[in-house]
Amino acid sequence: DEARASARQSQQRSSSHRAGTARDRSARIMPKNKGKGGKNRRRGKNDNDSKRELTYKEDGQEYAQVIKMLGNGRLEAFCFDGVSRLCHIRGKLRKRVWIQQGDIVLLGLRDFQDAKADVIQKYDNEEARSLKAYGELPENVQINVDVGVDGDDVEDDAFDFEEI
């Protein structure tokens, strides 16, 4: 009788052990959702409501205006020292700060390549206006305007809708 009782107990233990492991396996595969939303909700949050401090250029840096977006994290910018440079958007800014044509950016110049630079920071329109007021940017710079390759304003010459 004792042998049968111990066999039953070991059988019950093994069946309950199997059931427990199945539950544990499913819990390990898909964790329970404890938050409120997924990646897109976190991505939509913008916590920098407070004004950030205005960053001025230092040695080895230059202000520039974006001429053309090239894709793959690169752009062409006209630096205010008179040189047009191929620029790389650093990883901290990629997919977080959207840079468009005509934006004012701060570039880190490369010691070993004068024709290339790295985008350190993008200034919004208010910050760019204050930089211009402080005399950091040249007076002839137009903020919030698309700029062509030769520095002229881009105009739409395709259609005149008033004639149609």
Side-chain angles (χ1 to χ4, degrees), residues 59-125:
D59 289 342
Q61 296 178 349
E62 187 62 47
Y63 299 112
Q65 189 164 23
V66 177
I67 296 172
K68 185 195 291 186
M69 296 301 297
L70 300 174
N72 200 21
R74 297 177 304 139
L75 56 92
E76 188 177 341
F78 182 74
C79 298
F80 297 133
D81 61 356
V83 181
S84 182
R85 291 186 170 93
L86 179 69
C87 303
H88 177 263
I89 302 171
R90 62 186 287 213
K92 187 177 178 181
L93 300 180
R94 289 178 77 160
K95 294 196 176 177
R96 289 185 179 90
V97 178
W98 293 103
I99 299 176
Q100 298 173 345
Q101 188 172 337
D103 286 342
I104 305 294
V105 292
L106 180 64
L107 302 180
L109 303 177
R110 296 181 179 180
D111 298 333
F112 51 93
Q113 292 173 315
D114 190 46
K116 293 186 179 180
D118 301 301
V119 177
I120 297 173
Q121 182 179 355
K122 174 195 167 190
Y123 294 105
D124 60 16
N125 293 334

Side-chain angles (χ1 to χ4, degrees), residues 1-10:
D1 288 331
E2 285 181 30
R4 286 183 186 168
S6 65
R8 269 192 220 134
Q9 286 177 350
S10 65

